[in-house]
Structure formats: structure tokens, C-alpha cells
Amino acid sequence: MTTISREFQIFAKPVGPICNLNCSYCYYLDKQNLYPDTGHFLMTDDILEKYIVKQIQASPESMINFSWHGGEPFLAGIDFFKKVRRLQSVHIPAGKTIVNGIQTNGTLINDEWCRFLSEEGFIIGISIDGPAELHNIYRRTKDDSTTCEKVIRGFQLLKKHAIVPEILCVVNDENVKHPLIIYNFFKQLGARYITFIPLVEPEPGSSSGASRKSVPAEEFGLFLTAIFNEWVEKDIGEIKIQIFEEAARTAFNQEHTLCIFRLNCGGVPVVEHTGDFYSCDHYVEKDHFLGNIRDHSLSYFLESDQQRRFGMIKSVTLPKYCIACEVREMCNGECPKNRFILTPEGEAGLNYLCKGYKYFFNHCRPFVEAIAAAWKNQDI
């Protein structure tokens, strides 16, 4: 079996793109068009077991991580995830540990789910875009009802069962205007882990190249900076914010854990409910289809020439403007899907969010450099 030469995290989609919500910025709902003849979007027992076995076989570390995504993975039902745990316990070798993570919209959480998730040690990510007046702008049900009340109830139920979920906040054209309102709201909820995800939707013909809902690049930089200043003053050691953690990794010459900031990508592929394997969550499309897990090992896909080319494109297409940038190691051009504007010199391939990232990373550089100096002097 081919040895996998890098870290990887597979997004497994037990119900494919199916979701009980209709968030207007969701990029995954239309992936059901890839399966026009599929009447039932649920991973079969056969595919599930094959995937679990192959994930275990492909994972060289003592801790094996499974990441369940959607759509909305809770729609697979609690019995599906009980089956997941049974199969994992059957196939796990001695001396290894399995950790499961689920990313959810939070609306289907109840006490039964919480008891199961707590007993089995699941790590939960829950999507919240801020207080109700901000969250409900784009995160709606299929009949256009609001969702915040159900999501917060789900969050509180998780906490009642001693599960502290990570909050994933999509930063868009509206909530970007209220950084401290959002941050303080999350603090009031008792958040310990927060990830901010910038919304970027390409739209040809737009003056900025992006849709109206997309977060303006400069405002995203200001948003991160405002929260960073508050966090530095009050919350270091208490709250972990992913982008701040990623910036700090450069102080220790550590590789980024977040794929968008790595020099190259390709380590976060997707297994769809059918077993189909795709290069990346943002590239679930025919051109980036690698095959089906019924036919090959995960190492076959991850080490394939096609996947390696996909990953290397990130660095080989980096514009000269980025190569010369003083904060390049913090960003590395970010996600290729967002590289659709021109550099000041007119070169193609600049990231839409460049101005925002450049502003924020330059703002936090003195903090990161102080950490680096202290580390070198063995003070921390």
C-alpha cells in the first residue's frame, strides 16, 4: 500500500449535500445536481464500512480523525452514527484511538443526540453568524423562517451535556460591520473555540468581482483586527480563535494546520455519500473527481498525480506580488478559489481578500514577533 506523505483530513458526507436549511450563501446545496438519479441521499452500510476501514488503514498516527460534514450530517440520524461507532470499534487496531467530529447547523440537536455525542466523545462544530438580527439574515429554513433560536438552544444543550462546541461564523457583508457585538455575543454564550470564515462568492461583472453578500476585503481586515485587539487585552488563554492561532504558528516556524494558509493544498478531500472521492470541499465537480473508494485505497487518491497537481497549483500560480509580500508566510495566497482579481501590476491570480489579510496580518505581526523573540530566549 502506498504510504501517505502528508497530513490529511477527509470531509465525509453521509447525506451528501442534503440539508434542512436553505442558507442563501451555501455553496454545497447544488451538489445534489451531480446525482440527478439519486432518490435517497444516505451513505449505504457497504460504503460506510469501506470508508471506515480505508480511513483507518490510511492513518499512520495513533489518533485517527473522522470529520462528518454535509449538507447537514444530523439528517443521517442517530442510528447511523451509532453504526459508525460500532464499525470503528470493530476495525480499529490495538493502540489506536478514534476521534469523531461533526459540523452541524445546530437546529436538530436534542438531549438524545447530546447524550450520545457526549458518551462517544464527539467534537462538535456549530454554525452561528452572531446574534439573531445578524444570524437570521442569511441562515434561513426552506420556508424562509428564522433559525437562530433553534441554533442557540442546540448550543446550550451541548453545553448542558459538557460538550463545548467550536463556533464557525461566516463573515459576510452585514455582520462584518459589527465585530465586537459578534465577539461579545459568543463570549456570553461561553464560547471557547471560534473560527471566522470569510464569505467570498465570485460574480463576474461585479465591480469587485464578488457578490453583494461577500465580505468586503478591507472590512474583513478591520473586523479581525477589532476582535484581535479585544482578545489580546482580555481573552488570551481563555478563547482560541483559529486565525490568531494560525498567525502565531509562524512564530515557531510551524506549518499551518489550516489548509487555506498552507503553501500547497490537497490535504482536505471529500468522500461523498456514494463513495465518490473529490479533491476538495470547494471543488466537488467533475473535473476534480478522482474515483470511488470501492475501487481504491485512500492513499491511491491522496498520492495520485491528479491530486498532487491540484495541490501544487496553489504555490506555482502565486503572483509575484504575493511572493514579495511581507506577510506571505502567514497567508500563502489563501484559498485558490478566492484568487480571481488582479494585482496592482495587472497580474492575474490575486486573492480577493488580499487587502484585508494584509492589513490584519501586519497589525498582528508585532505580537507574533514578540512571541517568537520570547520563544528564542526560552522565556515561554
Side-chain angles (χ1 to χ4, degrees):
M1 182 182 298
T2 305
T3 301
I4 296 177
S5 59
R6 58 181 167 175
E7 293 180 2
F8 66 92
Q9 179 187 14
I10 293 174
F11 284 4
K13 310 272 189 172
V15 294
I18 301 304
C19 187
N20 60 318
L21 301 188
N22 190 32
C23 303
S24 60
Y25 56 58
C26 183
Y27 62 89
Y28 212 79
L29 290 175
D30 66 357
K31 300 305 178 186
Q32 60 186 297
N33 295 331
L34 290 169
Y35 304 98
D37 300 323
T38 300
H40 188 55
F41 285 81
L42 179 64
M43 190 175 282
T44 64
D45 292 355
D46 175 60
I47 293 295
L48 176 62
E49 185 163 20
K50 279 184 169 59
Y51 166 59
I52 287 172
V53 168
K54 292 182 179 186
Q55 170 91 352
I56 290 171
Q57 290 174 343
S59 303
E61 305 297 330
S62 59
M63 182 175 291
I64 304 170
N65 294 292
F66 285 80
S67 298
W68 305 97
H69 285 247
E72 173 48 54
F74 274 44
L75 289 174
I78 196 168
D79 288 340
F80 176 89
F81 285 100
K82 289 179 179 178
K83 190 187 310 173
V84 165
R85 290 298 297 125
R86 286 196 300 271
L87 291 169
Q88 289 173 340
S89 64
V90 166
H91 293 290
I92 186 170
K96 297 213 172 189
T97 303
I98 285 177
V99 175
N100 287 283
I102 298 182
Q103 175 58 36
T104 177
N105 62 44
T107 61
L108 301 177
I109 296 171
N110 57 29
D111 278 304
E112 182 185 12
W113 268 108
C114 289
R115 284 190 293 271
F116 167 74
L117 297 169
S118 178
E119 289 168 1
E120 297 295 342
F122 275 66
I123 296 171
I124 308 299
I126 187 167
S127 296
I128 310 176
D129 287 356
E133 64 272 19
L134 298 173
H135 175 94
N136 287 330
I137 294 172
Y138 295 128
R139 300 193 66 82
R140 316 281 293 193
T141 66
K142 295 187 184 300
D143 64 0
D144 201 33
S145 299
T146 60
T147 62
C148 192
E149 184 179 356
K150 289 183 178 179
V151 175
I152 300 305
R153 183 170 66 243
F155 185 92
Q156 300 292 7
L157 278 174
L158 290 168
K159 283 184 60 184
K160 186 182 85 170
H161 288 266
I163 300 171
V164 182
E166 177 183 13
I167 292 177
L168 276 73
C169 174
V170 175
V171 186
N172 54 63
D173 65 315
E174 293 291 342
N175 62 1
V176 72
K177 303 169 187 173
H178 309 284
L180 295 186
I181 289 175
I182 289 173
Y183 184 51
N184 287 324
F185 176 71
F186 291 161
K187 286 172 65 174
Q188 290 165 12
L189 288 176
R192 296 293 304 278
Y193 310 97
I194 304 171
T195 291
F196 294 111
I197 303 172
L199 174 61
V200 180
E201 297 176 332
E203 188 170 288
S206 166
S207 60
S208 67
S211 72
R212 179 191 59 80
K213 293 191 291 290
S214 297
V215 61
E218 297 93 334
E219 289 187 42
F220 184 56
L222 295 171
F223 174 94
L224 293 174
T225 299
I227 293 174
F228 177 80
N229 292 342
E230 185 81 358
W231 174 81
V232 166
E233 182 180 348
K234 300 177 181 178
D235 301 315
I236 289 179
E238 297 297 321
I239 297 175
K240 292 194 174 187
I241 299 177
Q242 188 181 54
I243 191 168
F244 303 167
E245 299 272 316
E246 291 295 323
R249 293 183 72 83
T250 61
F252 308 103
N253 296 315
Q254 295 175 328
E255 186 176 15
H256 288 291
T257 59
L258 189 59
C259 66
I260 61 172
F261 295 139
R262 288 193 166 194
L263 183 63
N264 287 302
C265 53
V268 189
V270 164
V271 171
E272 259 289 346
H273 67 293
T274 58
D276 287 348
F277 199 96
Y278 293 90
S279 292
C280 169
D281 191 51
H282 289 283
Y283 291 89
V284 176
E285 53 196 35
K286 291 180 180 179
D287 288 347
H288 295 96
F289 170 69
L290 298 176
N292 193 283
I293 61 168
R294 289 173 296 192
D295 305 319
H296 300 287
S297 66
L298 297 190
S299 59
Y300 172 90
F301 297 122
L302 287 163
E303 297 296 322
S304 68
D305 289 343
Q306 183 178 347
Q307 187 68 355
R308 288 194 164 278
R309 284 194 300 271
F310 172 81
M312 290 294 292
I313 285 173
K314 180 174 183 179
S315 62
V316 301
T317 60
L318 198 63
K320 293 177 183 177
Y321 180 80
C322 296
I323 293 171
C325 179
E326 67 276 13
V327 291
R328 185 189 64 173
E329 65 176 358
M330 291 183 174
C331 172
N332 285 311
E334 207 242 13
C335 185
K337 76 178 181 64
N338 296 333
R339 294 184 186 176
F340 54 81
I341 64 172
L342 302 178
T343 69
E345 295 77 25
E347 186 180 2
L350 184 65
N351 196 295
Y352 164 81
L353 294 166
C354 175
K355 287 184 179 178
Y357 279 129
K358 198 166 188 176
Y359 181 90
F360 168 69
F361 286 134
N362 271 307
H363 178 82
C364 72
R365 272 178 77 193
F367 173 81
V368 173
E369 288 168 357
I371 292 174
W375 177 60
K376 289 176 182 177
N377 292 328
Q378 302 298 308
D379 290 336
I380 60 173

CSV table of all heavy atoms in Angstrom, one decimal, residues 328-366:
chain,number,residue,atom,x,y,z
A,328,ARG,N,3.6,37.0,3.6
A,328,ARG,CA,3.3,35.9,2.8
A,328,ARG,C,3.2,34.6,3.6
A,328,ARG,O,2.4,33.8,3.4
A,328,ARG,CB,4.3,35.7,1.6
A,328,ARG,CG,4.0,34.5,0.7
A,328,ARG,CD,5.1,34.2,-0.3
A,328,ARG,NE,6.2,33.7,0.4
A,328,ARG,CZ,7.3,33.2,-0.3
A,328,ARG,NH1,7.3,33.2,-1.6
A,328,ARG,NH2,8.3,32.7,0.4
A,329,GLU,N,4.2,34.4,4.5
A,329,GLU,CA,4.2,33.1,5.3
A,329,GLU,C,2.9,32.9,6.1
A,329,GLU,O,2.6,31.8,6.5
A,329,GLU,CB,5.4,33.0,6.1
A,329,GLU,CG,5.5,34.1,7.2
A,329,GLU,CD,6.7,33.9,8.1
A,329,GLU,OE1,7.5,32.9,7.9
A,329,GLU,OE2,6.9,34.7,9.1
A,330,MET,N,2.2,34.0,6.4
A,330,MET,CA,1.0,33.9,7.2
A,330,MET,C,-0.2,33.6,6.4
A,330,MET,O,-1.2,33.1,6.9
A,330,MET,CB,0.7,35.2,7.9
A,330,MET,CG,1.7,35.6,9.1
A,330,MET,SD,1.2,37.1,9.9
A,330,MET,CE,2.4,37.1,11.3
A,331,CYS,N,-0.1,33.8,5.1
A,331,CYS,CA,-1.2,33.7,4.2
A,331,CYS,C,-1.0,32.7,3.0
A,331,CYS,O,-1.9,31.9,2.7
A,331,CYS,CB,-1.5,35.1,3.6
A,331,CYS,SG,-2.8,35.1,2.3
A,332,ASN,N,0.2,32.8,2.4
A,332,ASN,CA,0.5,31.9,1.2
A,332,ASN,C,-0.6,32.0,0.1
A,332,ASN,O,-0.8,31.1,-0.6
A,332,ASN,CB,0.7,30.5,1.6
A,332,ASN,CG,2.0,30.3,2.3
A,332,ASN,OD1,3.1,30.7,1.8
A,332,ASN,ND2,2.0,29.6,3.5
A,333,GLY,N,-1.2,33.2,0.0
A,333,GLY,CA,-2.2,33.4,-1.1
A,333,GLY,C,-3.5,32.9,-0.8
A,333,GLY,O,-4.4,33.0,-1.6
A,334,GLU,N,-3.7,32.4,0.4
A,334,GLU,CA,-5.0,31.8,0.9
A,334,GLU,C,-5.6,30.8,-0.1
A,334,GLU,O,-4.9,30.3,-0.9
A,334,GLU,CB,-6.0,33.0,1.3
A,334,GLU,CG,-7.0,32.6,2.3
A,334,GLU,CD,-8.4,32.7,1.8
A,334,GLU,OE1,-8.7,32.8,0.6
A,334,GLU,OE2,-9.4,32.7,2.6
A,335,CYS,N,-6.9,30.6,-0.1
A,335,CYS,CA,-7.5,29.6,-0.9
A,335,CYS,C,-7.6,29.9,-2.4
A,335,CYS,O,-8.0,31.0,-2.7
A,335,CYS,CB,-9.0,29.3,-0.4
A,335,CYS,SG,-9.8,27.9,-1.2
A,336,PRO,N,-7.2,29.0,-3.2
A,336,PRO,CA,-7.2,29.3,-4.7
A,336,PRO,C,-8.5,29.6,-5.2
A,336,PRO,O,-8.6,30.4,-6.2
A,336,PRO,CB,-6.7,27.9,-5.3
A,336,PRO,CG,-5.8,27.3,-4.2
A,336,PRO,CD,-6.5,27.7,-2.9
A,337,LYS,N,-9.6,29.2,-4.6
A,337,LYS,CA,-10.9,29.5,-5.1
A,337,LYS,C,-11.2,31.0,-5.0
A,337,LYS,O,-12.1,31.6,-5.7
A,337,LYS,CB,-12.0,28.8,-4.3
A,337,LYS,CG,-12.3,29.4,-2.9
A,337,LYS,CD,-13.4,28.6,-2.2
A,337,LYS,CE,-13.7,29.2,-0.8
A,337,LYS,NZ,-14.2,30.6,-0.9
A,338,ASN,N,-10.5,31.8,-4.2
A,338,ASN,CA,-10.7,33.2,-4.0
A,338,ASN,C,-9.7,34.0,-4.8
A,338,ASN,O,-9.7,35.3,-4.7
A,338,ASN,CB,-10.6,33.6,-2.5
A,338,ASN,CG,-11.6,32.9,-1.7
A,338,ASN,OD1,-12.7,32.6,-2.2
A,338,ASN,ND2,-11.3,32.7,-0.4
A,339,ARG,N,-8.9,33.4,-5.6
A,339,ARG,CA,-7.9,34.2,-6.4
A,339,ARG,C,-8.4,34.6,-7.8
A,339,ARG,O,-8.1,33.9,-8.8
A,339,ARG,CB,-6.6,33.3,-6.6
A,339,ARG,CG,-5.9,33.0,-5.3
A,339,ARG,CD,-4.6,32.3,-5.6
A,339,ARG,NE,-3.9,31.8,-4.4
A,339,ARG,CZ,-2.8,31.1,-4.5
A,339,ARG,NH1,-2.3,30.7,-5.7
A,339,ARG,NH2,-2.2,30.7,-3.4
A,340,PHE,N,-9.2,35.6,-7.8
A,340,PHE,CA,-9.9,35.9,-9.1
A,340,PHE,C,-9.8,37.4,-9.4
A,340,PHE,O,-10.5,37.9,-10.3
A,340,PHE,CB,-11.3,35.5,-9.1
A,340,PHE,CG,-12.2,35.9,-8.0
A,340,PHE,CD1,-12.7,37.2,-7.9
A,340,PHE,CD2,-12.4,35.1,-6.9
A,340,PHE,CE1,-13.5,37.6,-6.9
A,340,PHE,CE2,-13.2,35.5,-5.8
A,340,PHE,CZ,-13.8,36.7,-5.8
A,341,ILE,N,-8.9,38.2,-8.7
A,341,ILE,CA,-8.7,39.6,-9.0
A,341,ILE,C,-7.3,39.8,-9.5
A,341,ILE,O,-6.4,38.9,-9.4
A,341,ILE,CB,-9.1,40.5,-7.8
A,341,ILE,CG1,-8.1,40.3,-6.7
A,341,ILE,CG2,-10.5,40.3,-7.4
A,341,ILE,CD1,-8.3,41.4,-5.6
A,342,LEU,N,-7.0,41.0,-10.0
A,342,LEU,CA,-5.7,41.4,-10.5
A,342,LEU,C,-4.8,42.0,-9.4
A,342,LEU,O,-5.3,42.8,-8.5
A,342,LEU,CB,-5.8,42.3,-11.7
A,342,LEU,CG,-6.6,41.8,-12.9
A,342,LEU,CD1,-6.6,42.8,-14.0
A,342,LEU,CD2,-6.0,40.5,-13.4
A,343,THR,N,-3.5,41.8,-9.5
A,343,THR,CA,-2.6,42.6,-8.6
A,343,THR,C,-2.5,44.0,-9.1
A,343,THR,O,-3.0,44.4,-10.2
A,343,THR,CB,-1.2,42.0,-8.7
A,343,THR,OG1,-0.6,42.2,-10.0
A,343,THR,CG2,-1.2,40.5,-8.5
A,344,PRO,N,-1.9,44.9,-8.3
A,344,PRO,CA,-1.8,46.3,-8.7
A,344,PRO,C,-1.0,46.4,-10.1
A,344,PRO,O,-1.2,47.4,-10.8
A,344,PRO,CB,-1.0,46.9,-7.6
A,344,PRO,CG,-1.3,46.2,-6.4
A,344,PRO,CD,-1.5,44.7,-6.9
A,345,GLU,N,-0.2,45.4,-10.4
A,345,GLU,CA,0.6,45.5,-11.6
A,345,GLU,C,-0.2,44.8,-12.8
A,345,GLU,O,0.3,44.8,-13.9
A,345,GLU,CB,1.9,44.8,-11.5
A,345,GLU,CG,2.9,45.4,-10.5
A,345,GLU,CD,2.5,45.2,-9.1
A,345,GLU,OE1,1.9,44.1,-8.8
A,345,GLU,OE2,2.9,46.0,-8.2
A,346,GLY,N,-1.4,44.3,-12.5
A,346,GLY,CA,-2.2,43.7,-13.5
A,346,GLY,C,-2.0,42.2,-13.7
A,346,GLY,O,-2.6,41.6,-14.7
A,347,GLU,N,-1.3,41.6,-12.8
A,347,GLU,CA,-1.1,40.1,-12.9
A,347,GLU,C,-2.3,39.4,-12.3
A,347,GLU,O,-2.9,39.8,-11.3
A,347,GLU,CB,0.1,39.7,-12.1
A,347,GLU,CG,0.5,38.3,-12.3
A,347,GLU,CD,1.8,37.9,-11.5
A,347,GLU,OE1,2.3,38.7,-10.8
A,347,GLU,OE2,2.2,36.7,-11.6
A,348,ALA,N,-2.8,38.4,-13.0
A,348,ALA,CA,-3.9,37.6,-12.6
A,348,ALA,C,-3.6,36.7,-11.4
A,348,ALA,O,-2.4,36.4,-11.1
A,348,ALA,CB,-4.5,36.7,-13.7
A,349,GLY,N,-4.6,36.4,-10.6
A,349,GLY,CA,-4.5,35.4,-9.6
A,349,GLY,C,-4.3,35.9,-8.2
A,349,GLY,O,-4.0,35.2,-7.2
A,350,LEU,N,-4.6,37.2,-7.9
A,350,LEU,CA,-4.5,37.8,-6.6
A,350,LEU,C,-5.8,37.4,-5.8
A,350,LEU,O,-6.9,37.3,-6.4
A,350,LEU,CB,-4.4,39.3,-6.6
A,350,LEU,CG,-4.2,40.0,-5.3
A,350,LEU,CD1,-2.9,39.6,-4.6
A,350,LEU,CD2,-4.3,41.5,-5.4
A,351,ASN,N,-5.6,37.1,-4.5
A,351,ASN,CA,-6.8,36.7,-3.7
A,351,ASN,C,-7.7,37.9,-3.5
A,351,ASN,O,-7.2,39.0,-3.1
A,351,ASN,CB,-6.3,36.2,-2.4
A,351,ASN,CG,-7.4,35.4,-1.6
A,351,ASN,OD1,-8.4,36.0,-1.2
A,351,ASN,ND2,-7.2,34.1,-1.5
A,352,TYR,N,-9.0,37.7,-3.6
A,352,TYR,CA,-9.9,38.8,-3.4
A,352,TYR,C,-9.8,39.4,-2.0
A,352,TYR,O,-10.0,40.6,-1.8
A,352,TYR,CB,-11.4,38.2,-3.6
A,352,TYR,CG,-12.5,39.1,-3.0
A,352,TYR,CD1,-13.0,40.1,-3.7
A,352,TYR,CD2,-13.0,38.8,-1.8
A,352,TYR,CE1,-14.0,40.9,-3.2
A,352,TYR,CE2,-14.0,39.6,-1.2
A,352,TYR,CZ,-14.5,40.7,-2.0
A,352,TYR,OH,-15.5,41.4,-1.4
A,353,LEU,N,-9.4,38.6,-1.0
A,353,LEU,CA,-9.3,39.1,0.4
A,353,LEU,C,-7.9,39.7,0.7
A,353,LEU,O,-7.7,40.0,1.9
A,353,LEU,CB,-9.6,37.9,1.3
A,353,LEU,CG,-11.0,37.4,1.3
A,353,LEU,CD1,-11.1,36.1,2.0
A,353,LEU,CD2,-12.0,38.4,1.9
A,354,CYS,N,-7.1,39.9,-0.3
A,354,CYS,CA,-5.7,40.3,0.0
A,354,CYS,C,-5.6,41.5,0.9
A,354,CYS,O,-4.8,41.5,1.8
A,354,CYS,CB,-5.0,40.5,-1.4
A,354,CYS,SG,-3.3,41.2,-1.2
A,355,LYS,N,-6.3,42.6,0.5
A,355,LYS,CA,-6.2,43.8,1.3
A,355,LYS,C,-6.5,43.6,2.8
A,355,LYS,O,-5.9,44.2,3.7
A,355,LYS,CB,-7.1,44.9,0.7
A,355,LYS,CG,-6.5,45.5,-0.6
A,355,LYS,CD,-7.4,46.6,-1.1
A,355,LYS,CE,-6.8,47.2,-2.4
A,355,LYS,NZ,-7.7,48.3,-2.9
A,356,GLY,N,-7.6,42.8,3.0
A,356,GLY,CA,-8.0,42.5,4.4
A,356,GLY,C,-7.0,41.7,5.1
A,356,GLY,O,-6.6,42.0,6.3
A,357,TYR,N,-6.5,40.6,4.5
A,357,TYR,CA,-5.5,39.8,5.2
A,357,TYR,C,-4.2,40.6,5.4
A,357,TYR,O,-3.6,40.5,6.5
A,357,TYR,CB,-5.2,38.6,4.3
A,357,TYR,CG,-6.2,37.5,4.5
A,357,TYR,CD1,-6.8,36.9,3.4
A,357,TYR,CD2,-6.5,37.0,5.8
A,357,TYR,CE1,-7.7,35.8,3.5
A,357,TYR,CE2,-7.4,35.9,5.9
A,357,TYR,CZ,-8.0,35.4,4.8
A,357,TYR,OH,-8.9,34.4,4.9
A,358,LYS,N,-3.8,41.4,4.4
A,358,LYS,CA,-2.5,42.1,4.6
A,358,LYS,C,-2.7,43.1,5.7
A,358,LYS,O,-1.7,43.3,6.5
A,358,LYS,CB,-2.2,42.9,3.3
A,358,LYS,CG,-0.8,43.3,3.1
A,358,LYS,CD,-0.5,43.7,1.7
A,358,LYS,CE,1.0,44.0,1.5
A,358,LYS,NZ,1.3,44.3,0.1
A,359,TYR,N,-3.8,43.8,5.8
A,359,TYR,CA,-4.0,44.7,6.9
A,359,TYR,C,-3.9,44.0,8.3
A,359,TYR,O,-3.2,44.4,9.2
A,359,TYR,CB,-5.4,45.4,6.8
A,359,TYR,CG,-5.6,46.5,7.9
A,359,TYR,CD1,-5.3,47.8,7.7
A,359,TYR,CD2,-6.3,46.1,9.0
A,359,TYR,CE1,-5.5,48.7,8.7
A,359,TYR,CE2,-6.5,47.0,10.0
A,359,TYR,CZ,-6.1,48.3,9.9
A,359,TYR,OH,-6.4,49.3,10.9
A,360,PHE,N,-4.7,42.9,8.4
A,360,PHE,CA,-4.7,42.2,9.7
A,360,PHE,C,-3.4,41.6,10.1
A,360,PHE,O,-2.9,41.7,11.2
A,360,PHE,CB,-5.8,41.1,9.7
A,360,PHE,CG,-5.7,40.2,10.9
A,360,PHE,CD1,-6.0,40.7,12.2
A,360,PHE,CD2,-5.3,38.9,10.7
A,360,PHE,CE1,-5.8,39.9,13.3
A,360,PHE,CE2,-5.1,38.1,11.8
A,360,PHE,CZ,-5.4,38.6,13.1
A,361,PHE,N,-2.8,40.9,9.1
A,361,PHE,CA,-1.5,40.2,9.5
A,361,PHE,C,-0.4,41.2,9.8
A,361,PHE,O,0.4,40.9,10.7
A,361,PHE,CB,-1.1,39.3,8.3
A,361,PHE,CG,-1.9,38.0,8.3
A,361,PHE,CD1,-2.4,37.5,7.1
A,361,PHE,CD2,-2.2,37.3,9.4
A,361,PHE,CE1,-3.2,36.4,7.0
A,361,PHE,CE2,-3.0,36.1,9.4
A,361,PHE,CZ,-3.5,35.7,8.1
A,362,ASN,N,-0.4,42.3,9.1
A,362,ASN,CA,0.6,43.4,9.5
A,362,ASN,C,0.3,43.9,10.9
A,362,ASN,O,1.2,44.2,11.7
A,362,ASN,CB,0.6,44.5,8.5
A,362,ASN,CG,1.6,44.2,7.4
A,362,ASN,OD1,2.8,43.9,7.6
A,362,ASN,ND2,1.1,44.3,6.1
A,363,HIS,N,-1.0,44.0,11.2
A,363,HIS,CA,-1.4,44.5,12.5
A,363,HIS,C,-0.9,43.6,13.6
A,363,HIS,O,-0.4,44.0,14.7
A,363,HIS,CB,-2.9,44.7,12.6
A,363,HIS,CG,-3.4,45.2,14.0
A,363,HIS,ND1,-3.3,46.5,14.3
A,363,HIS,CD2,-3.9,44.5,15.0
A,363,HIS,CE1,-3.8,46.6,15.6
A,363,HIS,NE2,-4.1,45.4,16.0
A,364,CYS,N,-1.0,42.3,13.4
A,364,CYS,CA,-0.7,41.3,14.5
A,364,CYS,C,0.8,40.9,14.4
A,364,CYS,O,1.2,40.2,15.3
A,364,CYS,CB,-1.6,40.1,14.4
A,364,CYS,SG,-1.3,39.0,13.1
A,365,ARG,N,1.5,41.4,13.4
A,365,ARG,CA,3.0,41.0,13.3
A,365,ARG,C,3.8,41.3,14.6
A,365,ARG,O,4.6,40.5,15.1
A,365,ARG,CB,3.6,41.6,12.1
A,365,ARG,CG,3.5,40.8,10.8
A,365,ARG,CD,4.1,41.6,9.7
A,365,ARG,NE,5.5,41.5,9.7
A,365,ARG,CZ,6.3,42.2,8.9
A,365,ARG,NH1,5.8,43.1,8.1
A,365,ARG,NH2,7.6,42.0,8.9
A,366,PRO,N,3.6,42.5,15.2
A,366,PRO,CA,4.4,42.8,16.4
A,366,PRO,C,4.1,41.8,17.5
A,366,PRO,O,5.1,41.4,18.2
A,366,PRO,CB,4.0,44.2,16.8
A,366,PRO,CG,3.5,44.8,15.5
A,366,PRO,CD,2.9,43.7,14.7
